[in-house]
Amino acid sequence: MIVFGFPMVLMEGFILPSLRRPISMIACSLLVPTNFSLVVNSGFQHQENPTNDRSFIKATGGGAYKFSDLFKEKLGISLEKEDEMDCLVTGANFLLKAVNHEAFTYLNGQKEFVQIDHNDLYPYLLVNIGSGVSMIKVDGDGKFERVSGTSVGGGTFWGLGKLLTKCQSFDELLELSQRGNNRVLDMLVGDIYGGMEYSKIGLSSTAIASSFGRAISNSNELHDYKPEDVSRSLLRMISNNIGQISYLNALRFGLKRIFFGGFFTRGHSYTMDTISVAVHFWSKGEAKAMFLRHEGFLGALGAFMSYERHSLGDLMVNQSVQIPVDASSSTDTNYNPLERDLNETESMQCSVYQA
Ligand SMILES: Nc1ncnc2c1ncn2[C@@H]1O[C@H](COP(=O)(O)OP(=O)(O)O)[C@@H](O)[C@H]1O
Ligand SMILES: CC(C)(COP(=O)(O)O)[C@@H](O)C(=O)NCCC(=O)O
């Protein structure tokens, strides 16, 4: 996917909930949600070559490469590519330092904001769950190492879920999972141990022994299962796995803090709860998963911040707009990343810079 660092400065809060998802996918035009009506052709004049009036926008992620020619051809816009990992880390560092109540823990439906001590932020593990998952050890501004990853990520949930449930959209799949019961398909320890727990190795009877393992114990076909239950088990399997690998990497480098970003979680309670339980379980309560309110915008924000390196200060403000706040596209109805800052009728001031 491609994410953009639009030339925006937000005066309150940061990247826009109305942009959730900022750019869901790019075909041959720049798609922005309907409630976001600016930008498309705004850009910067290239500072190093003022006679050249080409527009450019910062872009990061694979799409910055994949769609570069298309943007140039169809929109006359050049994509200035910024490194994805660099942008993720820059975005995360910035949010963690600049936004009050950016990080929170989530367990048993309870969200608890974490007070970040700016002097004691590093090192931490940033787990970005996009299509795939990247695990990055962050030691400071611009100081990081991608230490691990897994190909079983958000794309796996969406891809497998689509095949198994025939869902037409990610939101539909996520919504199904909210109504499902994972016990229908998951084989629990109790299923194997005749209803007993396996206390000697610390497994309760309700712990999942084998994701989707129950499907082998009868002659059911896929159509015999409710899509809700399939989606639930799938979400649980993937979230659990990511939580586990994340913790193991934190352990590997002695990291106390694990922050989860990327558009997969979308503030969805069951996803966050499962990741939290996995981290809690594997760390024996020693570590806590922390989530970011602006989880899907790390890369975009990092790309935006790279304008700084291109003399942002020299650029002229020539447009200022009100962006309506709309968190309605989030699947979890309880979720609004800015709920503490704004209500739905308010808007945020956003200035667009143009040469
Ligand atoms: N509305 C949505 N449409 C598609 N995928 C979504 C949506 N909301 C959340 N996702 C999840 O977000 C993942 C992509 O996350 P993202 O951070 O954008 O990474 P990438 O840069 O790889 O696209 C998808 O694989 C899917 O699991
Ligand atoms: C290749 C990627 C960095 C691309 O980022 P994404 O678009 O998935 O956010 C990511 O998909 C990834 O880290 N995949 C896991 C590859 C691996 O370590 O096995």
Side-chain angles (χ1 to χ4, degrees), residues 139-292:
D139 291 301
D141 280 330
K143 283 196 219 154
F144 64 89
E145 186 190 350
R146 183 184 183 278
V147 291
S148 195
T150 165
S151 60
V152 181
T156 319
F157 174 62
W158 180 203
L160 260 182
K162 190 174 162 200
L163 289 175
L164 294 172
T165 67
K166 309 269 184 269
C167 269
Q168 292 303 306
S169 75
F170 179 88
D171 283 5
E172 196 187 333
L173 182 65
L174 208 49
E175 201 269 322
L176 275 182
S177 77
Q178 284 181 291
R179 293 186 270 119
N181 178 1
N182 77 295
R183 292 190 182 196
V184 175
L185 276 146
D186 290 344
M187 187 185 282
L188 308 186
V189 170
D191 293 330
I192 298 173
Y193 274 80
M196 308 287 285
E197 59 183 11
Y198 191 170
S199 52
K200 200 173 170 188
I201 57 168
L203 293 176
S204 71
S205 63
T206 54
I208 298 174
S210 169
S211 295
F212 286 89
R214 267 198 168 198
I216 58 173
S217 58
N218 55 46
S219 56
N220 284 355
E221 300 285 337
L222 181 58
H223 60 252
D224 295 315
Y225 292 103
K226 286 195 207 154
E228 291 90 316
D229 299 335
V230 173
S231 176
R232 185 86 168 191
S233 283
L234 193 57
L235 183 60
R236 183 120 192 214
M237 179 178 80
I238 289 163
S239 305
N240 218 1
N241 194 53
I242 294 170
Q244 179 178 5
I245 299 173
S246 302
Y247 171 65
L248 291 175
N249 274 289
L251 189 67
R252 193 175 148 211
F253 294 99
L255 307 174
K256 286 183 287 185
R257 285 166 287 251
I258 311 175
F259 294 104
F260 289 87
F263 205 47
F264 170 67
T265 53
R266 290 266 304 275
H268 187 250
S269 39
Y270 191 66
T271 313
M272 295 192 296
D273 220 45
T274 310
I275 292 174
S276 300
V277 167
V279 170
H280 182 85
F281 177 81
W282 287 102
S283 70
K284 297 193 169 60
E286 293 279 301
K288 272 187 181 165
M290 289 180 273
F291 301 91
L292 301 175

Side-chain angles (χ1 to χ4, degrees), residues 31-96:
L31 300 178
V32 290
T34 48
N35 57 355
F36 183 70
S37 57
L38 79 166
V39 178
V40 179
N41 233 345
S42 64
F44 288 68
Q45 207 159 26
H46 200 287
Q47 295 301 292
E48 284 150 24
N49 184 3
T51 54
N52 175 0
D53 68 350
R54 75 188 174 101
S55 290
F56 75 87
I57 51 177
K58 295 285 184 187
T60 185
Y65 293 83
K66 195 168 170 183
F67 299 112
S68 182
D69 290 348
L70 206 54
F71 266 80
K72 189 77 205 149
E73 189 192 321
K74 302 286 180 188
L75 297 170
I77 291 175
S78 300
L79 300 185
E80 289 225 333
K81 302 168 191 65
E82 296 293 329
D83 177 72
E84 184 176 348
M85 299 298 129
D86 223 328
C87 288
L88 289 172
V89 170
T90 303
N93 280 347
F94 176 73
L95 286 168
L96 286 166

